[in-house]
Structure formats: C-alpha cells, structure tokens
C-alpha cells in the first residue's frame, strides 16, 4: 500500500472541515498535518510540511480559486482536491492543465484518490475538461 499522504486543509467551512476530519481519520494512509485559514500562510505550510494534498472548499460557483494554478505551478508535487460544501461536487487538479470533475464519488473512492497517485483513477467515473 502507499505511504502516508499528508494533507493541508485550506479555507474549509467548519462543517466540511469536520466531515473531512472524520473521513481522513478512518483512513490508514491519510494524515491532516495542518489547517490553514489564511492563504498567505499556505506557502510556508507547504514547504515546512511537504504535504502531497491541499483540500479546499469549492466556492459556490463551483470554479477553482485563481490562486490554485499559481501554487501548483510553483510546487508540481502538490495535488488539489476541492469539495463543495454540500459534498455533491469534487474537483481534482494537479500539474496544469489537468483538472478532473469527479462524479458519483463514494467515500471509499475519495480515500482511494487521496491515498494513491491521481493517475490511478481508471476505475472511477470521471470526465476531464
């Protein structure tokens, strides 16, 4: 199995943050290493903790924030998972221009994505754009 994947929660709503804590604590290979509420603290947190994942709340318009491409371009090892506050929409992004909108995602699928490299998603129903 894969090694522990370190996760930084970024600007998540309280409800989403609590839900993600419950999910991630049940996963053997996932660890939340920090919660960052101020985007300015993100670069130092990423460098200090060498996190593999940033998990954010997806804005109401379901578009990724502008700062995402900037962070990913400067830190190509980072992968981003954005979850809508109602958990109906999940977007994943890593080295530009790859972005996926994941549909019908179960909790097991979410854990599998975070524990494994993003390119190992053949079994999931997804559409790229």
């Amino acid at each position: 199995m894969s090694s522990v994947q370190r996760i930084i929660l970024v600007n998540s709503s309280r409800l989403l943050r609590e839900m993600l804590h419950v999910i991630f604590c049940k996963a053997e290979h996932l660890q939340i290493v920090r919660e960052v509420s101020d985007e300015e603290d993100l670069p130092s947190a990423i460098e200090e903790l060498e996190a593999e994942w940033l998990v954010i709340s997806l804005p109401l318009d379901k578009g990724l924030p502008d700062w995402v491409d900037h962070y990913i371009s400067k830190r190509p090892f980072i992968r981003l998972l954005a979850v809508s506050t109602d958990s109906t929409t999940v977007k994943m992004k890593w080295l530009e221009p790859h972005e996926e909108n994941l549909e019908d995602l179960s909790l097991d699928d979410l854990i599998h994505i975070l524990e494994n490299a993003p390119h190992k998603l053949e079994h999931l129903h997804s559409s790229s754009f």
Side-chain angles (χ1 to χ4, degrees):
M1 190 67 180
S2 63
S3 62
V4 172
Q5 298 292 296
R6 293 172 305 273
I7 299 168
I8 297 175
L9 292 180
V10 184
N11 296 327
S12 296
S13 72
R14 183 174 156 248
L15 181 60
L16 180 62
R17 192 171 54 247
E18 289 173 2
M19 179 188 74
L20 292 173
H21 268 282
V22 169
I23 293 168
F24 297 159
C25 287
K26 291 180 180 181
E28 187 176 336
H29 295 95
L30 300 177
Q31 177 185 16
I32 296 174
V33 292
R34 182 160 305 158
E35 292 183 25
V36 175
S37 58
D38 185 349
E39 183 188 326
E40 291 181 13
D41 296 333
L42 193 52
S44 62
I46 292 170
E47 297 305 321
E48 174 189 333
L49 301 166
E50 298 179 351
E52 287 84 13
W53 287 96
L54 299 178
V55 177
I56 68 168
S57 293
L58 194 59
L60 294 176
D61 66 5
K62 308 266 194 255
L64 293 175
D66 294 336
W67 59 263
V68 168
D69 286 332
H70 171 75
Y71 280 100
I72 290 175
S73 68
K74 294 193 177 289
R75 296 158 186 90
F77 58 89
I78 285 285
R79 298 179 302 258
L80 176 108
L81 187 79
V83 182
S84 63
T85 53
D86 62 3
S87 302
T88 60
T89 304
V90 176
K91 289 190 176 199
M92 198 170 59
K93 186 165 182 126
W94 60 96
L95 281 177
E96 201 175 1
H98 192 93
E99 182 176 323
E100 288 192 32
N101 192 21
L102 303 173
E103 300 171 0
D104 301 322
L105 197 64
S106 71
L107 290 179
D108 287 339
D109 290 338
L110 178 63
I111 290 170
H112 176 79
I113 289 167
L114 292 166
E115 287 183 337
N116 297 281
H119 60 276
K120 297 179 182 175
L121 302 177
E122 305 84 41
H123 76 285
L124 296 178
H125 169 64
S126 63
S127 57
S128 295
F129 55 100

